[in-house]
């Protein structure tokens, strides 16, 4: 019996078989590539941690080797994960932070000297900030470098680090990204709210 390729039944069966085959192929490709994707994500995180330690410009293999050299321990206490590092014989702590920007989540790795009050370096990332504006928190290395040497707390122990429109206290303040006030405010809130628990945790040990 000759198939009626114009019938509804034929079209439905053909479409169903095609969808099943495509879904199977996509699932197979996803599973085959997942280990590589996971490795790339892990390497990207390691590079971000190195960026916060002011170590940049390394390819994949170099970054892996440098990470193994400088990151001495990964710890998690009271729900707070952080990294104990050593750079040029000096101990540093790297704290992962999360916050909200204008259009979505923002994140950071901030390295702090062993005095637990001086920022050694910082790297910021985002999910969906505007290119050329809020995205500058990730794209502008020069802006990230402004955090080097800034104090987290004032002499009274209050969190003082901030991103502001007009810097009045250069010891602890960084000027905001031009044209991205709300994203800059999100960075400031993330630093203030995110760093305090780490500082309290390590000082009380």
């Amino acid at each position: 019996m000759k198939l009626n390729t114009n019938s509804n039944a034929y079209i439905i069966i053909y479409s169903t078989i095609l969808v099943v085959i495509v879904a199977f192929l996509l699932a197979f490709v996803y599973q085959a590539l997942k280990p590589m994707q996971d490795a790339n994500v892990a390497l990207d995180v390691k590079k971000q941690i190195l960026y916060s330690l002011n170590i940049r410009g390394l390819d994949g293999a170099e970054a892996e080797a440098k990470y193994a050299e400088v990151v001495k321990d990964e710890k998690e206490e009271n729900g707070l994960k952080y990294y104990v590092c050593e750079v040029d014989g000096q101990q540093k702590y790297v704290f992962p932070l999360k916050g909200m920007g204008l259009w979505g989540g923002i994140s950071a790795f901030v390295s702090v000297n062993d005095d637990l009050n001086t920022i050694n370096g910082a790297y910021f990332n985002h999910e969906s900030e505007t290119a050329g504006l809020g995205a500058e928190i990730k794209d502008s290395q020069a802006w990230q470098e402004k955090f080097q040497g800034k104090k987290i707390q004032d002499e009274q122990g209050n969190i003082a680090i901030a991103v502001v429109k007009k810097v009045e206290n250069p010891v602890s303040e960084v000027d905001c990204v031009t044209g991205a006030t709300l994203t800059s405010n999100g960075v400031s809130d993330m630093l203030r709210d995110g760093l305090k628990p780490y500082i309290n945790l390590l000082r009380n040990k």
Side-chain angles (χ1 to χ4, degrees):
M1 183 177 69
K2 185 177 180 180
L3 290 175
N4 181 6
T5 58
N6 293 319
S7 69
N8 289 337
Y10 176 86
I11 294 173
I12 292 172
I13 293 172
Y14 178 84
S15 299
T16 301
I17 293 173
L18 188 61
V19 167
V20 170
I21 292 173
V22 170
F24 173 79
L25 290 175
L26 288 175
F28 176 78
V29 171
Y30 172 78
Q31 289 298 325
L33 294 179
K34 192 173 186 306
M36 185 183 300
Q37 293 171 341
D38 291 344
N40 288 336
V41 170
L43 176 59
D44 184 58
V45 170
K46 291 177 180 179
K47 283 185 174 182
Q48 291 183 39
I49 292 171
L50 292 175
Y51 295 160
S52 77
L53 292 165
N54 307 316
I55 302 171
R56 298 175 182 254
L58 304 179
D59 64 23
E62 292 172 335
E64 289 279 9
K66 194 65 175 178
Y67 182 89
E69 175 189 335
V70 302
V71 178
K72 302 302 182 181
D73 200 2
E74 298 180 16
K75 295 190 175 185
E76 185 166 351
E77 302 176 51
N78 299 338
L80 297 172
K81 183 176 182 179
Y82 63 96
Y83 304 82
V84 181
C85 309
E86 185 177 308
V87 179
D88 296 330
Q90 297 181 344
Q91 183 165 282
K92 315 286 183 183
Y93 298 96
V94 176
F95 305 134
L97 309 177
K98 291 188 179 296
M100 284 298 298
L102 175 60
W103 301 113
I106 57 177
S107 60
F109 286 101
V110 177
S111 67
V112 178
N113 292 343
D114 60 2
D115 65 355
L116 297 176
N117 195 40
T118 306
I119 292 179
N120 173 69
Y123 178 79
F124 299 95
N125 207 342
H126 67 88
E127 294 176 1
S128 53
E129 297 306 297
T130 307
L133 297 174
E136 288 297 288
I137 66 171
K138 173 185 178 182
D139 298 335
S140 175
Q141 180 179 338
W143 188 75
Q144 295 174 7
E145 289 175 348
K146 292 181 179 181
F147 288 86
Q148 296 176 14
K150 298 298 180 183
K151 298 298 182 182
I152 298 172
Q153 295 178 307
D154 60 22
E155 293 180 354
Q156 288 72 44
N158 302 310
I159 298 295
I161 185 68
V163 179
V164 297
K165 285 186 176 181
K166 182 179 179 181
V167 174
E168 296 181 352
N169 182 10
V171 172
S172 59
E173 294 177 347
V174 172
D175 57 334
C176 68
V177 176
T178 303
T181 301
L182 293 179
T183 302
S184 298
N185 290 343
V187 172
S188 191
D189 292 341
M190 176 176 63
L191 292 170
R192 183 185 64 247
D193 298 336
L195 288 173
K196 186 176 181 179
Y198 287 106
I199 302 302
N200 291 340
L201 171 69
L202 293 176
R203 282 194 171 158
N204 290 331
K205 290 184 65 173

